[in-house]
Amino acid sequence: MSTVDEAKHGDDTVAFGSRRQRSRTEASQSDDLGFDASAPLLVVEDLRVEFHTREGVAHAVNGASFTVGHGETLGILGESGSGKSVTAQAVMGILDSPPAKVGGGKVLLRGVDLLALPEESRRLVRSNRVAMVFQDALSALNPVFTVGYQLGELFRIHRGVTRQEAKTEAVSMLDLVGIPGAAQRVSDYPHQFSGGMRQRVMIAMALALDPDVLIADEPTTALDVTVQAQIMKLLADVQAERNMGMILITHDMGVVADVADKICVMYAGRIVERADVHSVYGNPAHPYTKALLESIPRIDHKGQQLASIEGLPPNLTKLPEGCSFHPRCRFRRDRCTTDDPPLYDIGGSRQSACHYYEEVLAT
Ligand SMILES: Nc1ncnc2c1ncn2[C@@H]1O[C@H](COP(=O)(O)OP(=O)(O)OP(=O)(O)O)[C@@H](O)[C@H]1O
Ligand code: SF4
Ligand SMILES: [Mg+2]
């Protein structure tokens, strides 16, 4: 067991090695929810989320299943509207309901189904065990308070530490996420930080209470390419150091290649391919994954036209008959317009929701 693990599940909870004492307040209350240290970290089973709209019912997440272990990073890929954020929000328990409605499934954190917990317990889980980094750091931070105050409040509210202790914790978190001169910057306001630095602050806030699982939803989309790489490296480093489970959501296949261990590709609310990262990038088993890969710019294809996926994502209230990707699929046959493919087990712990995955693999 790692130092972090020992700390988290030991009796008197010293989190982050010897760096920070954890009070037996909320952290221990969340331990009382029945988490089983021997159960898998996160198991999502057949998750369903729907939105009741004027146009009809949109099945935004339609039977998603995946697992995330300690020290493991799951990349969730898919174009806009495919259900990535709704999946993350359902795991976090932050869906606006209504209009969203969880239609079924389980979100098992160390064996406890979070979907079955009352809201007060979910709040404890959110503060102590599952944290999230959002795309837009500026709007997630409060402009009228210093970053030190905002970070410190987390420790004061959730750990019951004094104001001075909270400030010390805030400085050490800013230091951890690579903000130079943390002791001075702790007194600055969000607008005094660059976009990349603000995202580091958001990561510090997400890590502050030492979560088991970190969900990063498009954490680098608003940043330029160099800063994107730095933030991805930071996320990978802190994840490895703390042996956390991480879910990394993006529509950009280039972003997760170096960081993820395994990938779920979503299309129209469904997982259409699930595999380890090397299989997905080396030889995709679903035409949609293949098309996503072909749309990544490559230096050795300079001067050639960039491939794009023809057509538009479907309206989730009116999914096409058969395979929902069929109107855009170059592997399509007649059967695809009537026969909805299940997520076929294709060997090697891989799954593909394509009737013709063998042909896709061979192409
Ligand atoms: N408030 C809402 N009301 C109605 N439908 C919604 C609402 N929020 C999300 N949806 C539906 O859920 C679908 C999935 O949305 P989600 O935000 O998960 O997409 P995404 O994959 O994260 O896309 P993006 O890459 O643009 O962030 C949308 O296509 C939309 O149909
Ligand atoms: S089932 Fe048919 S339409 Fe769907 S992805 Fe496979 S080949 Fe394409
Ligand atoms: Mg999203």
Side-chain angles (χ1 to χ4, degrees):
M1 203 187 266
S2 73
T3 320
V4 174
D5 256 16
E6 282 162 13
K8 210 178 269 181
H9 304 294
D11 186 31
D12 216 349
T13 59
V14 180
F16 317 160
S18 58
R19 210 165 51 73
R20 172 156 73 74
Q21 294 286 328
R22 191 150 124 164
S23 75
R24 287 189 61 79
T25 52
E26 280 200 347
S28 55
Q29 288 172 39
S30 99
D31 289 344
D32 292 342
L33 295 175
F35 294 108
D36 174 359
S38 64
L41 181 58
L42 181 69
V43 178
V44 173
E45 282 176 12
D46 199 24
L47 180 65
R48 291 168 192 275
V49 182
E50 55 204 34
F51 289 90
H52 291 256
T53 69
R54 258 178 284 164
E55 283 182 80
V57 180
H59 297 277
V61 183
N62 198 352
S65 301
F66 54 83
T67 61
V68 183
H70 271 296
E72 195 172 54
T73 297
L74 168 74
I76 301 186
L77 291 165
E79 64 197 325
S80 192
S82 55
K84 307 181 298 294
S85 295
V86 172
T87 301
Q89 288 159 13
V91 172
M92 277 295 284
I94 55 168
L95 281 168
D96 279 333
S97 184
K101 180 170 179 283
V102 176
K106 288 183 176 167
V107 175
L108 298 162
L109 184 73
R110 290 192 176 283
V112 173
D113 185 5
L114 302 186
L115 298 181
L117 291 179
E119 178 48 33
E120 180 58 18
S121 306
R122 288 226 74 180
R123 193 190 62 75
L124 278 176
V125 172
R126 262 197 305 279
S127 359
N128 291 285
R129 294 191 170 262
V130 186
M132 192 155 170
V133 177
F134 299 91
Q135 173 181 339
D136 184 359
L138 189 54
S139 61
L141 290 165
N142 191 326
V144 300
F145 295 110
T146 65
V147 299
Y149 178 82
Q150 293 181 59
L151 254 170
E153 279 301 277
L154 287 173
F155 294 103
R156 274 171 39 80
I157 293 168
H158 299 287
R159 296 285 180 265
V161 302
T162 65
R163 209 172 276 280
Q164 189 52 45
E165 285 166 340
K167 187 172 179 190
T168 308
E169 295 287 7
V171 173
S172 87
M173 289 309 299
L174 291 183
D175 203 32
L176 177 89
V177 297
I179 294 194
Q184 288 76 47
R185 298 304 312 263
V186 77
S187 305
D188 286 347
Y189 290 87
H191 73 270
Q192 293 173 289
F193 288 78
S194 67
M197 287 294 163
R198 276 196 294 265
Q199 196 55 293
R200 284 175 191 266
V201 172
M202 284 308 301
I203 293 169
M205 291 183 79
L207 294 176
L209 301 179
D210 195 21
D212 297 296
V213 178
L214 180 68
I215 305 177
D217 188 356
E218 307 271 8
T220 61
T221 308
L223 307 173
D224 70 51
V225 177
T226 333
V227 182
Q228 273 186 9
Q230 291 166 1
I231 295 293
M232 291 311 297
K233 183 170 181 324
L234 170 65
L235 282 170
D237 287 350
V238 290
Q239 188 244 5
E241 184 200 313
R242 295 182 172 204
N243 202 28
M244 287 183 303
M246 184 155 81
I247 300 178
L248 194 54
I249 293 174
T250 177
H251 59 268
D252 181 349
M253 286 198 84
V255 164
V256 284
D258 295 332
V259 181
D261 301 296
K262 54 192 193 181
I263 301 282
C264 285
V265 179
M266 290 190 77
Y267 186 78
R270 283 200 163 161
I271 291 176
V272 294
E273 178 160 4
R274 194 168 51 196
D276 68 277
V277 69
H278 301 294
S279 304
V280 170
Y281 283 82
N283 195 10
H286 193 282
Y288 177 59
T289 317
K290 209 173 181 65
L292 282 178
L293 270 173
E294 286 165 3
S295 60
I296 302 176
R298 285 178 48 175
I299 194 86
D300 53 335
H301 289 190
K302 207 173 163 191
Q304 292 178 21
Q305 203 173 2
L306 199 58
S308 62
I309 308 174
E310 279 182 25
L312 293 172
N315 178 340
L316 295 181
T317 61
K318 295 186 189 78
L319 285 180
E321 284 286 299
C323 173
S324 49
F325 189 55
H326 86 251
R328 310 171 73 186
C329 181
R330 65 174 193 259
F331 291 83
R332 166 185 70 225
R333 310 265 175 77
D334 287 349
R335 179 187 178 194
C336 304
T337 59
T338 53
D339 197 354
D340 191 7
L343 196 55
Y344 292 106
D345 218 323
I346 65 171
S349 307
R350 301 183 67 178
Q351 288 91 31
S352 165
C354 174
H355 297 306
Y356 302 105
Y357 65 83
E358 283 170 334
E359 186 184 327
V360 181
L361 282 169
T363 313

